[in-house]
Amino acid sequence: MDALDILVKHDIKPSLQRLAVMEYMLTHFTHPTVDEIFSSLSPSIPTLSKTTIYNTLSLFEEQGVVLYLGIDKKNARFDGNTSHHAHFRCKNCNAIIDIFNQKPEDVVLEGHPELVIDDVQTYYTGYCKNCKK
Amino acid sequence: MDALDILVKHDIKPSLQRLAVMEYMLTHFTHPTVDEIFSSLSPSIPTLSKTTIYNTLSLFEEQGVVLYLGIDKKNARFDGNTSHHAHFRCKNCNAIIDIFNQKPEDVVLEGHPELVIDDVQTYYTGYCKNCKK
DNA sequence: AATAAAATTGTAATGATTACAAATGTAATT
DNA sequence: AATTACATTTGTAATCATTACAATTTTATT
Ligand SMILES: [Mn+2]
Ligand SMILES: [Mn+2]
Ligand SMILES: [Zn+2]
Ligand SMILES: [Zn+2]
C-alpha cells in the first residue's frame, strides 16, 4: 500500500506536501526528526516550510498514520511503522532501533480495569553494537 | 531509608537544597515537574533557584536516585521510586499513574544480544477513571 | 584567618515547538 | 470564466522549558 492509498483511506487530502512526507515516512524507517524530514524534502520542494512538516506530522499522528516517539529528550521522533513494536535508543550515537520481538503487554490491563488504554510505548536505553565498550 | 541516607549512600553531598529535593521526591510520588518541585519548596527556602532544581535532579538522575520520565511532551517528570514499574498518562488531565503489575520485559534481550540495555521505560496513554467517557 | 573547592544563584542564551495572519491553492457556484 | 468559499501552505514572531555561564555564597582545608 503506497502513500496515496494510506492518505485517502484516512480521509487526508493528498496534497503535494503531504504525499511527500508520507512517502518519506514509508521509505525511511529511521524514526526521523522534523529537521531531518525537512532537510531531505526541501531541495525537491523549494517552497516547503518547516511549519508544514509540523502540521502534517501532527495531522498524521491524529489520524494514526504515523507514531510519535518521545524517546529522544531533544527532538520529537516519528515512525511510519505503526505496528506494535518497541524502541531502543543508544545513549552514545542516539540511533533508534526497532525491537520487534516483544510480548504484548496487554496483560497489564488486568490489573487496571479502570483505565482506558489507547497506546503503549516501550523505550529501551543503552548502547548499540557500535558504541558498546 | 530517609533522604539523608540515600544521598550519602550515593556519594551526594547533602546540602540543604539537595536534602529538600530528595525529601520531596520521597514524599510525593506524583511524578512532579521541575516547576512543581520549585513551587513547593520555594516558600520554605526563599533563596532557592530553579536552576538548582534542574542541577539537583540532573545529579540525582546520574546517580540513579531518581528516574527521568519522558512521558510528558511538555515537561520533564521525575520519579523518586526507582523500582521497576511502568507509567500511564491520562490524555485529558495529564495525571501520571504507576503501573506496578507488569511482567519484566527482559525476555526482549534474547532477540538483541548485540545491545547493552541499561534502562526500560514503558509508557501507557489513555484516559483515567475520572476522565473516561 | 586565608585559601581553595564546591554549590547555589540570577540572568541571559538556546532552540524546538506553537501561534497566527497573509498568501496560495483548490473546489464549488453562478 | 469569473467569483466566492474553503483548505492548505508559508513566513515570521512568540512561547517557554531547558541550558550555559559568570558571579556570589557556602563549605572544607591549610
Ligand atoms: Mn520503529
Ligand atoms: Mn512511578
Ligand atoms: Zn550507538
Ligand atoms: Zn484523567
Side-chain angles (χ1 to χ4, degrees):
Chain A
M1 208 163 57
D2 67 355
L4 180 61
D5 293 336
I6 294 177
L7 295 192
V8 296
K9 174 176 290 190
H10 287 84
D11 294 314
I12 298 171
K13 211 166 287 181
S15 70
L16 176 75
Q17 292 85 344
R18 288 169 178 171
L19 274 170
V21 173
M22 191 71 245
E23 176 69 23
Y24 183 90
M25 296 307 290
L26 291 178
T27 52
H28 299 79
F29 293 98
T30 53
H31 317 96
T33 65
V34 166
D35 271 331
E36 285 167 352
I37 300 169
F38 176 78
S39 298
S40 176
L41 299 181
S42 186
S44 52
I45 308 176
T47 62
L48 188 62
S49 166
K50 201 174 284 184
T51 301
T52 298
I53 307 293
Y54 277 103
N55 291 341
T56 301
L57 290 170
S58 178
L59 175 67
F60 284 5
E61 197 211 343
E62 284 168 15
Q63 301 302 330
V65 302
V66 301
L67 235 50
Y68 169 89
L69 301 185
I71 197 176
D72 189 334
K73 213 179 283 201
K74 301 268 174 176
N75 309 333
R77 303 283 196 143
F78 295 89
D79 196 340
N81 178 2
T82 56
S83 69
H84 182 268
H85 64 289
H87 292 95
F88 169 91
R89 183 178 59 81
C90 176
K91 289 179 189 173
N92 184 245
C93 69
N94 234 32
I96 292 175
I97 299 169
D98 284 323
I99 306 278
F100 288 110
N101 55 334
Q102 198 186 34
K103 306 283 190 304
E105 293 117 331
D106 307 294
V107 285
V108 159
L109 290 171
E110 297 167 11
H112 291 270
E114 80 280 12
L115 301 178
V116 179
I117 297 186
D118 294 345
D119 186 57
V120 190
Q121 288 296 326
T122 299
Y123 300 137
Y124 296 83
T125 318
Y127 294 94
C128 77
K129 191 177 183 177
N130 296 334
C131 299
K132 73 181 169 187
K133 197 17 143 314
Chain B
M1 208 164 56
D2 66 355
L4 181 61
D5 293 336
I6 293 176
L7 295 192
V8 298
K9 173 177 288 190
H10 287 84
D11 294 315
I12 297 171
K13 211 165 287 181
S15 69
L16 175 74
Q17 292 84 346
R18 287 170 178 172
L19 274 170
V21 173
M22 190 71 245
E23 176 68 23
Y24 183 90
M25 297 306 291
L26 291 178
T27 51
H28 299 79
F29 293 98
T30 53
H31 318 96
T33 65
V34 167
D35 271 331
E36 286 167 351
I37 301 169
F38 176 78
S39 298
S40 176
L41 300 181
S42 187
S44 51
I45 309 176
T47 62
L48 187 63
S49 165
K50 201 173 283 185
T51 302
T52 298
I53 307 292
Y54 276 103
N55 292 340
T56 300
L57 290 170
S58 177
L59 175 67
F60 284 5
E61 196 211 343
E62 284 168 13
Q63 302 302 328
V65 303
V66 301
L67 236 49
Y68 169 90
L69 301 186
I71 197 176
D72 189 335
K73 214 179 278 202
K74 301 267 174 176
N75 309 337
R77 302 282 196 146
F78 295 88
D79 197 341
N81 179 3
T82 55
S83 70
H84 182 268
H85 65 289
H87 293 94
F88 170 91
R89 183 177 59 82
C90 176
K91 288 179 189 173
N92 183 246
C93 69
N94 233 33
I96 294 175
I97 298 169
D98 285 322
I99 306 278
F100 287 111
N101 56 335
Q102 200 187 33
K103 307 281 192 305
E105 293 119 330
D106 307 294
V107 286
V108 159
L109 289 170
E110 297 166 11
H112 290 272
E114 79 280 12
L115 301 178
V116 178
I117 298 186
D118 294 345
D119 186 56
V120 190
Q121 289 296 325
T122 299
Y123 301 137
Y124 296 84
T125 317
Y127 294 95
C128 77
K129 192 176 183 177
N130 297 333
C131 299
K132 73 180 165 187
K133 200 12 145 311

